[in-house]
Amino acid sequence: MKKNSWLLLLLMLEAAALSAEPFGRPKVGLVLSGGGAKGFAHIGAIKMIDSLNIPIDYIAGTSMGGIIGGLYAIGYSGAELEKMAQRSDWGEIFTDTPPRPDLPYFEKEKSGRYQISFGLQGLKPVPPSGLIYGQKVSLLLSELFFPYDQTDHFDQLPIPFRCVAVDLVTGEDVVLGAGSLTKAIRATMSIPTVFSPVEWGDSLLVDGGLNNNLPVDVVKRMGAEIVIAVDVQSPLLSRDKLTSAVTVLQQTVNLVGLERWRQNLEMVDVIIRPDISSYTAADFQPAKIGRILRQGKLAADEALPSLLALQKKYALYRPAGAVMPKRVFNKNPLISGIQITDHQKLPFSFIYRLLGLQPGGRLDTGQLNHNIMDLYGLGYFESLTYEVIPVDSHYVDLHFHACEKSFRQLRLGLRYDDRHKLVAALHLQATNLPVPGFRFENEVQFAGLTRLWSRASYPSRALNLPVYPFAHVLYKDIPIHLFDDSGQRIAEYPDRSISFGGGIGMVLGKSWNASVAYQQERMDIEPNVARQDPSFSFSWHHRLRTLESRLTIDRLDDVLLPRNGLNLKVEHVSSMPELATDVNFQQLSLSLDLYRTVHRRHTWRGYAFWGWSSMHVPVYKYFNQGRPHFFVGMNDDQLACPDLSIVRMDYRYEHKPDIFFLLIANLAFEVHDPSSPIYYGKNILQGAGLGIRLLSPVGPLEAVVGRGERGLSTPGRMQTRVYVTLGFRF
């Protein structure tokens, strides 16, 4: 009987060793360092841990290590994390602005015009606390971490988790282990000057990598006895590589936490260190992410003997049938209540209505994020985020944080081109004054182009009723160049005018806008005959009263570097005798700009323009398409005609993410006006061009060499023109 009892006990122990965690096995902690895009290498180690069935009892991470560690802690497998890394558009995620097709029409008008933007308090500029506020990042984290966003403690997650931040005021470490998981992750990744800091109680939190980029001490305090660490921190650079402000800054950050990093390394049992020295924290391009993932896998393969030895020594196996902690999937809980805080000028009803939520309805985080970005795109908020607070097993409360922008915004844009040389633009916008939704915009352009305009509108009414009123005032002083039939400039006219008007517009969706407006304009155009043809001395002093109708469809995905979409404009201008105008004429024009990208690198552009004018239209109202974006091969302003048609085809090849090559071919068909002071005798004009476009911090740099007709009535005579532009378009 005694012998049988001992035999039964041995069998029970053996079964326990095979089917369950060994009694008294040491607790295993996983530590993931910060490193921006280099942190994708963590996924290789996680996939290896999954394949070996090594149990992870605690996780601690910093910055990108905090993001990946948090996702692993709630149950995402290494394979799922790899798919997420490869399929997500990280370049888009790490921007605040919605994709251009999703912007409201009024915000599309300003996209691609200004390099610098900040708020005003009185007349004092208030620069942003970071390059981006992390709007899209916060929404993505809210969706990924739902329904674990609110827990009493991060120990309640499938795997207990901690992430590390730094209090920007005191400089002390802050280990985050309770509260909003989404907000904690957002704090640990808040790289100073890149992301805005995160308010956490009385603290202002930034990236924990400043003090503790490899938080082994944190996971030790959680109870880990064995530590597996993945370190993607950049190594210290040698003296010969400290040659730029970027490398010096990188070295400075690494030196701050160097001693802490060394102390933490001494407590690591298995270190996995991918070879990613050729990559930077900002390498979020798909191709580079793929290579970083491969480097993580290679490093995990090299660490395999150490992991196997550790596993065998301590019998580190997950229980049978429990390969991974299983996360709770989104189940669309019912909404109990909605709270909106921090809004000051925008009424609760305005925000609430656009969120598209109702108490008692089902929560769909994907649709909610879409609605939030639509509301954010109106330009009223610095950030618009939310927390999901469980009420019971079926209901949740939604707590929205609406951080409003300063309602006075100052923007600055710079541009260089062959026509106007250096041009600067200063834009001032006030919103919600005196009533919510009202907009008052002012822009001054100076240096090579003088233009001053003001516009008042009430576009927010389009949210209820698609009709909105507007009024504007415009002053301009723009040189007009006239050329003879051989391509020689014969006169320069300063086009000075002041105009004002108002009308009614209609917004249909995010892409359609139609308007009808009355405008009164005073023209004073005198020839500047210095170094020009003295006989070319006619002038105009006209008072024009016109009715202008316009239809615009704007679906371009980008204004500086379009890849897909279209832009259609139809305009009609009528200067009728009934308006008591000095000149009577009619004009109708249509332009179509169409882009299509195939196989990512190859972009085709088709452009077409058609314009018709009635008899006796003044020269200063001619259609002017002699610019490199519309027609190459001729001087700027040279292709100015009362009736004009253009077709153009562009091909753009993406050599590298910031280098593009261009091929251009275009034809123009014009009809001369016998009453015009300039005789147009040729009906078909042609031109072609080669170019290169480089993306720079101040906007695209483009150089195009065009060859086309020398003049409008000189068949067979060609000329070569070089066009250079730098900066944004306005």
Side-chain angles (χ1 to χ4, degrees):
M1 182 71 179
K2 187 175 181 181
K3 182 177 179 180
N4 291 338
S5 298
W6 279 106
L7 180 59
L8 180 61
L9 178 60
L10 289 172
L11 290 173
M12 291 175 62
L13 291 172
E14 184 177 358
L18 295 174
S19 62
E21 293 188 15
F23 179 77
R25 74 159 177 83
K27 299 295 185 179
V28 181
L30 176 65
V31 179
L32 306 177
S33 77
K38 296 183 291 183
F40 289 119
H42 293 316
I43 297 173
I46 290 175
K47 289 182 68 178
M48 179 65 72
I49 291 171
D50 288 347
S51 67
L52 297 176
N53 206 22
I54 295 176
I56 299 297
D57 301 290
Y58 308 104
I59 300 175
T62 298
S63 195
M64 192 65 168
I67 299 175
I68 293 176
L71 291 171
Y72 192 57
I74 67 172
Y76 285 88
S77 68
E80 290 174 314
L81 292 173
E82 184 176 48
K83 290 180 181 178
M84 189 184 303
Q86 292 177 320
R87 296 177 181 178
S88 300
D89 187 349
W90 296 97
E92 182 66 30
I93 292 170
F94 289 127
T95 62
D96 285 332
T97 307
R100 191 174 184 276
D102 293 337
L103 287 174
Y105 181 81
F106 295 97
E107 293 300 316
K108 287 181 181 180
E109 292 181 307
K110 293 188 284 290
S111 66
R113 291 172 60 88
Y114 310 103
Q115 289 96 335
I116 302 173
S117 178
F118 44 82
L120 293 176
Q121 288 184 352
L123 298 177
K124 181 181 178 181
V126 182
S129 56
L131 295 177
I132 62 174
Y133 287 90
Q135 172 66 28
K136 292 182 184 177
V137 171
S138 296
L139 294 184
L140 176 63
L141 294 176
S142 295
E143 186 171 356
L144 292 175
F145 285 102
F146 176 80
Y148 291 102
D149 184 48
Q150 287 290 335
T151 59
D152 294 334
H153 204 279
F154 296 172
D155 285 347
Q156 299 173 357
L157 301 177
I159 303 176
F161 171 72
R162 301 288 187 275
C163 58
V164 181
V166 172
D167 190 328
L168 190 59
V169 178
T170 65
E172 297 178 350
D173 288 0
V174 179
V175 179
L176 303 173
S180 170
L181 180 57
T182 297
K183 195 173 181 179
I185 299 295
R186 172 65 178 81
T188 190
M189 59 168 288
S190 296
I191 304 171
T193 72
V194 177
F195 290 95
S196 61
V198 173
E199 294 184 6
W200 190 280
D202 296 331
S203 301
L204 200 61
L205 303 185
V206 295
D207 195 312
L210 295 175
N211 285 355
N212 194 359
N213 201 41
L214 190 68
V216 180
D217 53 337
V218 174
V219 82
K220 279 286 191 178
R221 290 196 297 270
M222 294 175 70
E225 300 165 86
I226 296 173
V227 177
I228 302 170
V230 188
D231 185 16
V232 297
Q233 179 172 301
S234 300
L236 292 177
L237 301 174
S238 60
R239 180 173 179 175
D240 62 311
K241 294 183 178 179
L242 298 173
T243 57
S244 68
V246 175
T247 56
V248 170
L249 178 61
Q250 175 184 320
Q251 189 87 329
T252 303
V253 173
N254 288 341
L255 287 172
V256 171
L258 181 61
E259 185 59 32
R260 183 84 165 274
W261 175 74
R262 288 171 174 169
Q263 293 173 359
N264 280 333
L265 277 180
E266 295 177 357
M267 297 184 284
V268 175
D269 295 277
V270 177
I271 183 71
I272 301 174
R273 187 171 286 131
D275 182 11
I276 47 178
S277 57
S278 58
Y279 302 96
T280 71
D283 285 335
F284 285 96
Q285 299 85 0
K288 292 184 178 181
I289 290 175
R291 291 195 287 270
I292 292 172
L293 288 168
R294 286 194 290 273
Q295 290 299 319
K297 182 180 183 303
L298 291 174
D301 290 340
E302 293 177 0
L304 180 60
S306 299
L307 291 171
L308 288 173
L310 195 70
Q311 186 185 50
K312 183 178 180 181
K313 181 178 180 180
Y314 297 105
L316 302 179
Y317 297 94
R318 289 193 183 100
V323 177
M324 275 292 298
K326 298 297 182 181
R327 68 184 185 275
V328 178
F329 292 94
N330 298 357
K331 297 182 179 180
N332 301 111
L334 295 170
I335 301 171
S336 176
I338 300 172
Q339 181 182 3
I340 304 174
T341 60
D342 301 331
H343 63 102
Q344 298 175 357
K345 296 184 179 181
L346 292 171
F348 175 92
S349 58
F350 177 88
I351 303 173
Y352 174 77
R353 175 167 49 84
L354 293 180
L355 287 173
L357 299 173
Q358 292 288 339
R362 293 282 181 183
L363 173 61
D364 183 336
T365 55
Q367 183 62 47
L368 175 59
N369 286 356
H370 178 77
N371 293 348
I372 288 176
M373 288 308 299
D374 279 351
L375 180 54
Y376 182 82
L378 295 175
Y380 296 135
F381 303 95
E382 297 286 11
S383 63
L384 181 59
T385 59
Y386 67 95
E387 297 178 34
V388 181
I389 302 174
V391 176
D392 54 35
S393 58
H394 300 288
Y395 285 88
V396 297
D397 284 338
L398 295 178
H399 188 180
F400 291 89
H401 303 274
C403 180
E404 295 177 355
K405 283 184 178 180
S406 168
F407 287 97
R408 289 181 293 275
Q409 295 286 314
L410 185 64
R411 302 177 176 93
L412 176 65
L414 295 171
R415 176 179 174 85
Y416 173 87
D417 63 44
D418 294 292
R419 187 184 188 212
H420 304 117
K421 308 306 179 185
L422 182 65
V423 181
L426 194 65
H427 180 271
L428 176 64
Q429 175 176 301
T431 56
N432 288 348
L433 299 172
V435 293
F438 187 84
R439 296 192 181 199
F440 183 55
E441 299 178 71
N442 305 271
E443 183 173 278
V444 179
Q445 297 179 10
F446 51 94
L449 172 64
T450 302
R451 181 183 284 135
L452 169 64
W453 65 265
S454 297
R455 181 173 64 184
S457 61
Y458 199 13
S460 70
R461 285 295 186 188
L463 302 171
N464 288 323
L465 187 67
V467 176
Y468 64 93
F470 64 90
H472 74 268
V473 177
L474 170 65
Y475 170 79
K476 64 181 181 181
D477 185 351
I478 304 173
I480 299 176
H481 297 158
L482 298 182
F483 299 80
D484 63 14
D485 59 3
S486 64
Q488 298 297 315
R489 189 175 68 171
I490 57 177
E492 176 182 317
Y493 284 70
D495 178 2
R496 298 187 181 96
S497 67
I498 184 169
S499 62
F500 63 90
I504 298 293
M506 177 179 291
V507 174
L508 301 174
K510 298 175 182 178
S511 303
W512 293 65
N513 183 75
S515 64
V516 178
Y518 167 82
Q519 178 167 290
Q520 182 164 315
E521 184 175 8
R522 174 69 185 182
M523 313 288 300
D524 290 298
I525 303 177
E526 295 281 353
N528 178 4
V529 297
R531 296 179 290 118
Q532 312 293 337
D533 186 351
S535 65
F536 209 81
S537 60
F538 46 84
S539 61
W540 298 272
H541 300 279
H542 290 159
R543 178 180 291 110
L544 299 181
R545 296 183 176 95
T546 59
L547 287 176
E548 300 181 1
S549 304
R550 182 178 291 108
L551 171 66
T552 303
I553 304 174
D554 188 347
R555 291 180 176 174
L556 293 180
D557 59 351
D558 190 87
V559 69
L560 298 176
L561 195 70
R563 294 182 177 274
N564 293 287
L566 64 86
N567 186 286
L568 174 67
K569 294 182 180 178
V570 182
E571 296 181 88
H572 179 260
V573 178
S574 177
S575 181
M576 301 177 293
E578 293 80 1
L579 299 174
T581 184
D582 291 348
V583 183
N584 300 317
F585 67 92
Q586 303 278 333
Q587 281 189 317
L588 180 64
S589 64
L590 182 150
S591 65
L592 175 64
D593 220 354
L594 181 64
Y595 288 84
R596 176 67 175 172
T597 297
V598 293
H599 303 297
R600 195 174 68 83
R601 293 179 179 270
H602 309 275
T603 300
W604 295 90
R605 177 201 183 198
Y607 174 75
F609 175 87
W610 174 83
W612 168 86
S613 303
S614 64
M615 295 290 288
H616 309 297
V617 63
V619 172
Y620 56 81
K621 289 295 183 180
Y622 281 5
F623 299 113
N624 188 332
Q625 293 279 296
R627 303 174 191 175
H629 191 67
F630 304 111
F631 193 91
V632 298
M634 304 187 75
N635 296 289
D636 294 341
D637 297 330
Q638 188 175 353
L639 191 57
C641 308
D643 301 295
L644 179 66
S645 301
I646 291 176
V647 291
R648 167 169 167 158
M649 180 66 71
D650 294 31
Y651 168 72
R652 186 178 74 216
Y653 173 73
E654 181 178 351
H655 177 61
K656 293 182 177 180
D658 53 354
I659 302 176
F660 304 84
F661 296 107
L662 310 173
L663 293 175
I664 304 166
N666 46 219
L667 293 173
F669 308 86
E670 59 86 19
V671 179
H672 72 271
D673 180 0
S675 65
S676 170
I678 306 176
Y679 179 73
Y680 297 93
K682 187 175 182 181
N683 288 330
I684 300 179
L685 308 169
Q686 57 187 329
L690 297 172
I692 185 171
R693 176 176 291 183
L694 309 175
L695 301 186
S696 74
V698 296
L701 170 62
E702 183 174 287
V704 175
V705 179
R707 186 156 179 86
E709 305 286 345
R710 185 174 181 86
L712 299 174
S713 62
T714 53
R717 298 188 63 184
M718 308 293 287
Q719 65 179 359
T720 300
R721 289 278 290 111
V722 179
Y723 311 92
V724 178
T725 59
L726 173 63
F728 290 21
R729 182 175 297 156
F730 50 81

